[in-house]
């Protein structure tokens, strides 16, 4: 019986690098699909949402399962647009390896850097695939340099491209020293191995020598064989590349043209050769939860232990309800089993178990450690929840960026209100970076997201998929409040609660924290001054006041509040009294500490042809933008800038007009700054 290995991998890239095309070829060559899907035709299997097919972009991460030789591959295709970076974040959180796709012409682009930082954050080993080698202007050497200089990675090219009559013909495998040709009559399904053409032999030998020299930095065995001038066995070479890849010392680099059906089978081989099996990796950090405390522990990846899994995505299905995507770290689980949602301290029954192929489910009897699968039947679960059938153990959750843009939304008729709220709740459960809330004073509904495209996609889904009827207002900015000076005050609280007299006394101080450090509540009390439960109640009140704002109702940011002193009367003490006083006193001292309004500043990257650079910079500056630097890439300039979000509404239309549709830009949140006007 063949011992089946497993790989949990994702495909990540800047928008238009061709990652969905790579995914479609992987499905075709592994036999998962019988035809090749096309992004331009809207026939891809991984981009199955109607909007994805209409817009030609990936919006939601899509999971599938395929098999290559003796390896079971769980594959997740992630979005490339910065507005949907949360999809990349939650995918990388549960993956063991990744394929980073780069355009041979565009190279390392802004979102390439973002997803690389996310992969670094979760310590994900990766392989690089330089795509679009058939394009005019393709320059793999330039891409290698950019991977090293911009991403601070160590690229190890293990292939060399071959061109015939200026057309990309195939690749030289520097490990086996063979020329790989992809038969066009079989849509590249047949890979023909030939001797290296004489005209390329010298450059191939030089490239192999450079590869071995680079690898010897991380391998004693390789360096010893090089010093002895002994031939290096192919198996040893693969083994040493694998070790250095899994430990994230190197990134093997491959190349091809997914659109032209070239280079995908060697990439599949590399996935099995160089990326880790789930059980090769170390244990997973977690917390064991007790009644009044928690303990840091490590969860061993094993099928024999208690079942532990992380819910990393929720997708609403019209027929099945909520589908919870999980990564199983330990143990196994069967349909019908009761499990504990640790964070919510609630038990729920697993309805059905699935493996997904994009949106097509394959029912399973059991999911085991290492698996990526789907649970149907949960009502309370949210993204980031831990589920288990053993002791309460909490895996590290997933951190998402806060939304920076809001739009007012209102039902077309009063009768549509409940339907609209229900739809928004479903969409918010699916997407942690989408938030809807109601202003309790005005009754106005606000939806918030990561950008104009993000909210456009969400509202289009609400209207088309869920048939909600509504009108939209103009985009609004999610401001924050802070303070510029310091203040201190002492107050008492003496009011009846539930008919009983209560008393609380506090002295609080407030001052500005360093910009970007977040809010801090410093407890300067000991249990001798105020018992622990009343201290906790005071902190809850302070945090509630900071979240509700100072003067305009926006959440506070970079504010430090210190509990300086307290007055305690054992007979009259009440937690609600200390919580209420903490909130009221925080609001008072913050109002006396020179409150200011902070606005979101966006990092803007604009790709523009040389002839339009001057006009683009001039217009951007007039919008309040500040140019931080520029990179040259062939005939394209990449402008790196910062601009207040308020100044960037409608910029995409203006940029298209300026450049005759040839320029593009991406924008992501950078930081908050004091609003000057």
């Amino acid at each position: 019986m063949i011992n089946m290995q497993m790989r949990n991998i994702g495909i990540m890239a800047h928008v238009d690098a061709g990652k969905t095309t790579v995914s479609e070829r992987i499905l075709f060559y592994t036999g998962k699909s019988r035809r090749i899907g096309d992004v331009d035709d809207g026939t891809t299997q991984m981009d199955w949402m109607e909007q994805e097919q209409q817009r030609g972009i990936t919006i939601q991460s899509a999971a599938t399962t395929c098999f290559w030789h003796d390896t079971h591959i769980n594959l997740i295709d992630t979005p490339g647009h910065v507005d949907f970076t949360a999809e990349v974040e939650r995918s990388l959180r549960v993956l063991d390896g990744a394929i980073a796709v780069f355009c041979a012409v565009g190279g390392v682009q802004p979102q390439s850097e973002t997803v690389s930082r996310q992969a670094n954050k979760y310590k994900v080993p990766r392989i690089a695939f330089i795509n679009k080698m058939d394009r005019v202007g393709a320059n793999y050497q330039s891409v290698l340099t950019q991977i090293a200089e911009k991403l601070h990675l160590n690229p190890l090219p293990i292939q060399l491209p071959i061109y015939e009559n200026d057309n990309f013909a195939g690749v030289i495998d520097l490990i086996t020293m063979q020329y790989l040709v992809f038969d066009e009559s079989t849509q590249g399904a047949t890979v023909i191995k030939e001797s290296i053409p004489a005209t390329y032999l010298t450059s191939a030998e030089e490239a192999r020598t450079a590869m071995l020299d680079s690898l010897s930095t991380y391998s004693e065995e390789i360096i010893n064989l090089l010093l002895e001038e002994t031939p290096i066995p192919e198996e040893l070479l693969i083994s040493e590349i694998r070790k250095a890849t899994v430990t994230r010392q190197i990134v093997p680099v491959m190349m091809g043209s997914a659109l032209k059906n070239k280079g995908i089978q060697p990439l599949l081989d590399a996935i099995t050769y160089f990326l880790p099996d789930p059980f090769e990796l170390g244990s997973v950090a977690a917390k064991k939860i007790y009644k009044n405390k928690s303990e840091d522990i490590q969860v061993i990846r094993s099928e024999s232990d208690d079942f532990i899994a992380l819910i990393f995505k929720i997708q609403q299905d019209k027929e099945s309800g909520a589908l919870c995507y999980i990564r199983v770290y330990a143990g196994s689980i069967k349909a019908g089993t009761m499990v504990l949602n640790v964070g919510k301290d609630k038990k729920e029954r697993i309805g059905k178990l699935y493996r997904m192929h994009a949106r097509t489910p394959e029912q399973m009897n059991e999911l085991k450690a290492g698996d990526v699968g789907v649970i149907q039947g949960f009502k309370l679960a949210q993204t980031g929840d831990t589920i288990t059938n053993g002791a309460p153990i909490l895996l590290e959750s997933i951190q998402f960026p806060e939304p920076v843009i809001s739009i007012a939304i209102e039902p077309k008729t009063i009768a549509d209100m409940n339907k609209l709220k229900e739809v928004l709740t479903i969409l918010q459960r699916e997407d942690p970076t989408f938030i809807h809330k109601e202003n309790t004073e005005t009754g106005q509904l606000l939806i918030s997201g990561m950008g104009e495209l993000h909210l456009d996609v969400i509202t289009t889904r609400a209207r088309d998929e869920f048939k909600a009827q509504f009108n939209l207002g103009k985009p609004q900015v999610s401001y924050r409040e802070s303070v510029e000076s310091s203040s201190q005050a002492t107050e008492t609280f003496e009011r009846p609660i539930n008919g009983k007299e209560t008393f609380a006394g506090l002295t609080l101080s407030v001052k500005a924290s360093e910009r970007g450090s977040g809010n801090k509540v410093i407890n300067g009390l000991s249990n001798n001054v105020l018992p622990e439960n009343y201290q906790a109640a005071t902190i809850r009140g302070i945090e509630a006041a900071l979240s509700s704002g100072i003067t305009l109702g926006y959440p506070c940011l970079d504010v430090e509040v210190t509990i300086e002193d307290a007055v305690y009367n054992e007979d009259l003490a009440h937690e609600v009294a200390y919580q209420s006083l903490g909130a009221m006193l925080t609001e008072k001292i913050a109002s006396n500490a020179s409150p200011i309004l902070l606005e979101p500043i966006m990092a803007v990257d604009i790709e523009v042809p040389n002839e339009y650079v001057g006009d683009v910079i001039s217009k951007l500056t007039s919008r309040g933008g500040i140019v931080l630097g520029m990179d040259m890439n062939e005939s394209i300039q990449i402008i790196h800038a910062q601009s207040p979000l308020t100044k960037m509404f409608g910029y995409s239309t203006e940029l298209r007009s300026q450049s005759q549709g040839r320029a593009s830009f991406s924008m992501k949140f950078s930081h908050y700054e004091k609003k000057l006007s």
Side-chain angles (χ1 to χ4, degrees):
M1 181 178 176
I2 296 175
N3 183 24
M4 185 69 70
Q5 299 184 69
M6 181 182 287
R7 300 289 183 271
N8 292 316
I9 64 165
I11 301 186
M12 59 186 201
H14 184 89
V15 66
D16 289 335
K19 98 196 118 37
T20 297
T21 307
V22 171
S23 298
E24 293 295 320
R25 269 47 178 191
I26 286 176
L27 297 182
F28 179 69
Y29 296 127
T30 57
K32 189 68 180 182
S33 62
R34 295 183 179 181
R35 61 174 178 80
I36 296 176
D38 189 281
V39 174
D40 293 333
D41 294 341
T43 57
T44 60
Q45 298 186 55
M46 298 299 273
D47 285 351
W48 57 267
M49 286 177 61
E50 186 177 342
Q51 284 199 75
E52 291 178 316
Q53 294 173 351
Q54 289 174 351
R55 297 172 188 260
I57 60 172
T58 303
I59 293 170
Q60 287 195 351
S61 55
T64 191
T65 295
C66 56
F67 297 87
W68 184 247
H69 302 319
D70 62 345
T71 303
H72 167 193
I73 300 173
N74 290 317
L75 174 69
I76 297 181
D77 178 26
T78 64
H81 197 286
V82 70
D83 276 23
F84 310 107
T85 190
E87 289 288 328
V88 184
E89 185 85 20
R90 59 179 166 193
S91 299
L92 287 172
R93 167 66 178 82
V94 298
L95 293 175
D96 304 322
I99 302 168
V101 179
F102 301 94
C103 172
V105 180
V108 173
Q109 297 167 285
Q111 183 67 355
S112 311
E113 298 181 60
T114 300
V115 295
S116 183
R117 284 193 295 271
Q118 289 170 310
N120 291 341
K121 175 181 174 181
Y122 294 115
K123 300 178 180 178
V124 178
R126 69 210 83 156
I127 296 168
F129 182 73
I130 302 177
N131 193 28
K132 303 189 179 184
M133 289 294 293
D134 59 304
R135 291 269 302 274
V136 175
N139 187 336
Y140 82 97
Q141 285 288 3
S142 173
V143 181
L144 291 173
T145 301
Q146 292 175 49
I147 291 172
E149 294 180 353
K150 291 187 176 182
L151 305 184
H152 309 292
L153 300 173
N154 296 317
L156 183 78
I158 59 176
Q159 291 179 337
L160 194 68
I162 282 189
Y163 287 87
E164 293 177 359
N165 300 320
D166 294 329
N167 293 318
F168 176 61
V171 295
I172 295 172
D173 185 330
L174 297 177
I175 296 174
T176 63
M177 290 300 279
Q178 292 178 313
Y179 173 32
L180 307 182
V181 181
F182 304 88
D183 184 10
E184 294 182 8
S185 67
T186 62
Q187 292 185 292
T190 303
V191 182
I192 303 166
K193 298 178 180 179
E194 299 180 354
S195 299
I196 298 172
T199 52
Y200 277 87
L201 195 54
T202 300
S203 56
E205 288 171 349
E206 289 173 352
R208 179 180 167 87
T209 299
M211 177 188 74
L212 294 174
D213 285 345
S214 296
L215 187 60
S216 67
T217 306
Y218 312 101
S219 170
E220 242 181 80
E221 287 187 72
I222 297 292
I223 198 167
N224 288 337
L225 291 174
L226 287 175
L227 291 172
E228 295 167 4
E229 297 185 352
T230 303
I232 299 172
E234 183 182 321
E235 293 77 13
L236 176 64
L237 198 47
I238 290 173
S239 171
E240 293 304 290
I241 293 174
R242 178 186 182 82
K243 286 178 188 175
T245 303
V246 172
T247 54
R248 295 177 294 110
Q249 294 174 298
I250 64 167
V251 175
V253 181
M254 312 184 72
M255 53 202 68
S257 169
L259 187 64
K260 301 294 185 182
N261 308 316
K262 295 176 180 178
I264 301 302
Q265 293 94 327
L267 178 61
L268 282 162
D269 288 337
I271 290 168
T272 65
Y273 291 158
F274 307 135
L275 293 180
D277 186 271
F279 299 104
E280 281 183 78
L281 298 172
S283 52
V284 183
K287 290 183 181 293
K288 191 168 185 178
I289 308 299
Y290 299 96
K291 189 173 182 181
N292 296 315
K293 64 175 184 176
S294 64
E295 173 192 0
D296 290 338
I297 63 166
Q298 294 291 319
V299 172
I300 306 299
R301 300 169 190 253
S302 167
E303 289 184 12
S304 60
D305 291 331
D306 289 336
F307 168 76
I308 301 172
L310 182 75
I311 297 173
F312 68 93
K313 175 183 170 75
I314 292 178
Q315 181 179 308
Q316 197 69 23
D317 184 82
K318 291 178 182 178
E319 296 178 1
S320 306
L323 300 176
C324 298
Y325 285 69
I326 65 167
R327 164 66 195 269
V328 185
Y329 284 96
S332 61
I333 202 73
K334 292 185 176 181
T337 309
M338 292 292 290
V339 293
L340 173 68
N341 185 322
V342 180
K344 294 181 171 55
D345 195 23
K346 298 286 185 181
K347 287 191 174 183
E348 290 201 79
R349 185 178 300 277
I350 292 174
K352 294 179 180 178
L353 296 173
Y354 299 108
R355 280 199 190 124
M356 296 298 287
H357 174 51
R359 64 173 174 176
T360 305
E362 175 193 350
Q363 192 164 340
M364 305 292 294
N365 294 322
E366 184 179 31
L367 292 177
K368 299 180 179 180
D371 274 334
V372 173
V374 171
I375 291 175
Q376 178 195 339
F378 284 173
K379 293 181 173 62
L380 304 174
Q382 291 178 297
T383 297
D385 285 350
T386 302
I387 54 174
T388 181
N389 63 0
I393 290 174
L394 201 61
L395 296 167
E396 182 183 356
S397 191
I398 309 170
Q399 301 301 316
F400 295 105
E402 288 190 23
V404 293
I405 181 172
S406 301
I407 297 177
I409 186 171
E410 60 180 25
K412 286 194 172 180
T413 67
I414 295 175
D416 293 326
M417 175 61 87
N418 289 338
K419 168 75 171 178
L420 178 59
K421 287 183 178 179
E422 179 186 332
V423 169
L424 294 179
T425 300
I426 289 171
L427 292 170
Q428 182 170 319
R429 190 181 180 198
E430 277 194 10
D431 185 348
T433 58
F434 169 70
I435 294 173
H436 83 279
K437 60 183 177 181
E438 185 175 0
N439 186 313
T440 53
E441 294 180 4
T442 65
Q444 184 183 46
L445 274 175
L446 282 179
I447 56 173
S448 305
M450 302 305 297
E452 289 181 276
L453 177 61
H454 184 206
L455 290 183
D456 184 29
V457 166
I458 289 283
T459 52
T460 301
R461 286 191 65 199
R463 184 176 284 121
D464 294 350
E465 288 182 35
F466 296 95
K467 310 304 179 187
Q469 301 295 314
F470 53 85
N471 296 314
L472 293 173
K474 292 183 178 179
Q476 303 172 19
V477 172
S478 296
Y479 292 104
R480 295 291 183 269
E481 294 187 66
S482 193
V483 297
E484 281 193 306
S485 61
S486 58
S487 175
Q488 181 171 313
T490 301
E491 290 280 352
T492 58
F493 181 99
E494 298 177 76
R495 296 179 192 172
I497 296 176
N498 295 331
K500 181 183 176 183
E501 290 298 320
T502 64
F503 173 85
L506 291 171
T507 300
L508 303 182
S509 67
V510 67
K511 66 177 183 179
S513 291
E514 183 180 346
R515 187 69 63 232
S517 62
N519 294 330
K520 297 176 186 174
V521 179
I522 298 175
N523 187 358
L525 304 180
S526 67
N527 291 345
N528 294 329
V529 176
L530 188 65
E532 188 175 349
N533 59 317
Y534 299 113
Q535 293 180 34
T538 301
I539 292 171
R540 287 197 299 272
I542 293 169
E543 290 175 341
L546 292 176
S547 67
S548 61
I550 303 169
T551 58
L552 298 173
Y554 295 108
C556 292
L557 189 66
D558 303 334
V559 174
E560 182 179 304
V561 178
T562 302
I563 309 172
E564 303 284 358
D565 199 4
V567 181
Y568 172 63
N569 183 319
E570 185 177 0
D571 296 328
L572 300 179
H574 195 290
E575 287 187 18
V576 173
Y578 280 96
Q579 183 170 333
S580 300
L581 181 57
M584 291 187 292
L585 190 50
T586 298
E587 187 176 332
K588 177 180 177 179
I589 58 177
S591 298
N592 294 330
S594 306
I596 58 172
L597 190 64
L598 302 177
E599 67 175 335
I601 304 299
M602 310 302 287
V604 184
D605 293 294
I606 307 167
E607 297 183 22
V608 57
N610 289 333
E611 58 264 39
Y612 304 110
V613 168
D615 288 343
V616 168
I617 290 177
S618 176
K619 281 286 189 181
L620 183 66
T621 305
S622 70
R623 283 176 170 264
I626 300 171
V627 176
L628 303 178
M630 295 174 63
D631 289 332
M632 180 72 176
N633 192 346
E634 298 296 330
S635 60
I636 298 288
Q637 293 274 8
I638 303 175
I639 302 168
H640 304 290
Q642 287 182 348
S643 178
L645 176 58
T646 50
K647 305 290 187 181
M648 294 303 292
F649 292 139
Y651 183 64
S652 57
T653 302
E654 180 180 279
L655 184 64
R656 281 196 299 269
S657 175
Q658 275 185 285
S659 63
Q660 297 181 15
R662 294 172 62 196
S664 63
F665 83 106
S666 63
M667 183 172 68
K668 64 183 177 182
F669 172 74
S670 173
H671 62 281
Y672 280 95
E673 273 185 16
K674 180 181 177 181
K675 184 171 172 59
L676 300 178
S677 59

